[in-house]
Amino acid sequence: MKKLLIAYHSMTGGTEQMARAAARGAAEEAAVEVRLLRAAETGPHDVLDADGYVFATPENLASMAGLMKDFFDRCYYAALDRINGRPYAALICAGSDGQNALRQLERIATGWRLNAVAPALIVCTHAQTPEQILSPKQIAAVDLERCYEIGAALATGVALGVF
Ligand SMILES: Cc1cc2nc3c(=O)[nH]c(=O)nc-3n(C[C@H](O)[C@H](O)[C@H](O)COP(=O)(O)O)c2cc1C
């Protein structure tokens, strides 16, 4: 059975909702096993074992979240040249920007020779004050639907072997 790994980090819940929506979409494809894992609990074996990936991270301090970076740091060389050409999609949850986190993620994915099979999705929560930024997030249904569709498309392509 083909496997789709969804690795994510989330502090105030926004990215987690996006990752879970992608997982629900991917689960529509019965021929693919979906593994939804927090980045801190994801290791090289999980990366090598998967046929495709969704990477989901907040942007914090103009960077991908530290624990997402830690995941890539721990897995990068163990997986280098062993996952070439596999498909992936990127989901970013940001306050108002998200571009730097996406750029970093895409550079790593390029190093891994992964194949971006869906346009990256940046969802902004528009939190401005420290209180808003630290509060639990609620991602709009329309954005969760886009995450769902990305997960579904990725899983379908993995199942059919079209990527
Ligand atoms: C320490 C910190 C730094 C942040 N820096 C940025 C930033 O540089 N750019 C941005 O667009 N959002 C920034 N944010 C906002 C988060 O990206 C936003 O709150 C998002 O919802 C976090 O995702 P999460 O809910 O999955 O934790 C920052 C939030 C925190 C806590």
Side-chain angles (χ1 to χ4, degrees):
M1 195 165 178
K2 298 281 182 65
K3 292 177 190 155
L4 179 68
L5 170 65
I6 302 176
Y8 74 97
H9 175 71
S10 186
M11 193 170 82
T12 53
T15 316
E16 179 164 3
Q17 290 160 41
M18 294 169 66
R20 288 189 181 281
R24 283 195 298 277
E28 294 289 332
E29 177 52 69
V32 171
E33 179 187 329
V34 182
R35 300 197 67 209
L36 177 69
L37 295 179
R38 295 194 74 94
E41 294 157 6
T42 309
H45 174 78
D46 303 303
V47 175
L48 293 171
D49 200 37
D51 300 283
Y53 312 95
V54 176
F55 301 121
T57 181
E59 177 167 276
N60 287 347
L61 304 177
S63 168
M64 79 169 71
L67 284 172
M68 198 71 194
K69 177 67 162 41
D70 166 74
F71 153 70
F72 285 118
D73 289 350
R74 286 183 292 102
C75 296
Y76 188 79
Y77 282 104
L80 189 62
D81 286 331
R82 300 175 70 185
I83 57 173
N84 293 12
R86 293 184 193 175
Y88 86 99
L91 306 178
I92 310 289
C93 187
S96 56
D97 189 345
Q99 294 292 341
N100 273 332
L102 177 59
R103 231 182 331 267
Q104 291 175 327
L105 201 159
E106 287 177 335
R107 283 189 73 166
I108 294 166
T110 298
W112 265 344
R113 305 285 187 266
L114 297 180
N115 181 17
V117 296
L121 176 62
I122 298 178
V123 171
C124 288
T125 56
H126 304 293
Q128 299 287 352
T129 65
E131 291 74 18
Q132 289 170 343
I133 286 173
L134 293 175
S135 294
K137 301 298 181 296
Q138 182 58 57
I139 304 301
V142 64
D143 290 323
L144 293 178
E145 182 63 26
R146 294 162 78 192
C147 299
Y148 179 99
E149 282 165 9
I150 288 170
L154 198 46
T156 300
V158 164
L160 297 174
V162 295
F163 296 132

